Amino acid sequence: QVQLVESGGGLVQAGGSLRLSCAASGRTFSGYAMAWFRQAPGKERDFVATISQSSSFTGYAASVKGRFTISRDNAKNTVYLQMNSLKPEDTALYYCAATNTIGVLTTASAFTYWGQGTQVTVSS
């Protein structure tokens, strides 16, 4: 079992920045690929970014590429999402997810463990 707790969400003006954190507890964090997803009201849960177990690979949705950066600190059992140049369309509930599957994973069904989410609201 892996428990995930997100933090760092909030209200920010367009053009601003936020850094989300996801703290993991339970089994060996370094054995899990991690990802961030987001879900706006009335919409599907969408992939945002992913990072491999050793940080050797990162991937991003086209809508956030160049603005968001995913990183992890295996010594702290934490994954981060640095969000810059935020837009109102980035408003959503952001979820952290974990899987011990190897590979490039961008679909929600590939991830086993999920946090409760942290709300990000970007005002225009």
Side-chain angles (χ1 to χ4, degrees):
Q1 284 280 5
V2 175
Q3 291 80 42
L4 303 173
V5 178
E6 303 96 335
S7 61
L11 174 64
V12 64
Q13 288 190 329
S17 298
L18 283 174
R19 188 175 84 153
L20 305 184
S21 299
C22 173
S25 61
R27 296 190 175 181
T28 307
F29 177 71
S30 60
Y32 289 84
M34 304 296 295
W36 289 94
F37 288 79
R38 67 186 182 186
Q39 188 168 19
K43 294 190 176 181
E44 299 281 321
R45 188 171 297 190
D46 290 331
F47 166 74
V48 176
T50 188
I51 187 166
S52 62
Q53 284 83 344
S54 63
S55 302
S56 59
F57 174 83
T58 57
Y60 299 91
S63 59
V64 307
K65 197 168 187 178
R67 300 188 298 122
F68 291 11
T69 302
I70 189 170
S71 62
R72 65 189 295 162
D73 185 339
N74 286 347
K76 295 183 178 180
N77 287 5
T78 302
V79 63
Y80 304 98
L81 185 68
Q82 177 66 45
M83 306 186 295
N84 298 328
S85 302
L86 283 161
K87 305 175 181 180
E89 51 264 43
D90 293 319
T91 295
L93 189 60
Y94 282 70
Y95 295 92
C96 173
T99 180
N100 58 7
T101 301
I102 304 297
V104 178
L105 305 165
T106 61
T107 58
S109 59
F111 290 84
T112 308
Y113 302 104
W114 293 83
Q116 293 300 306
T118 185
Q119 178 68 38
V120 172
T121 304
V122 184
S123 63
S124 58

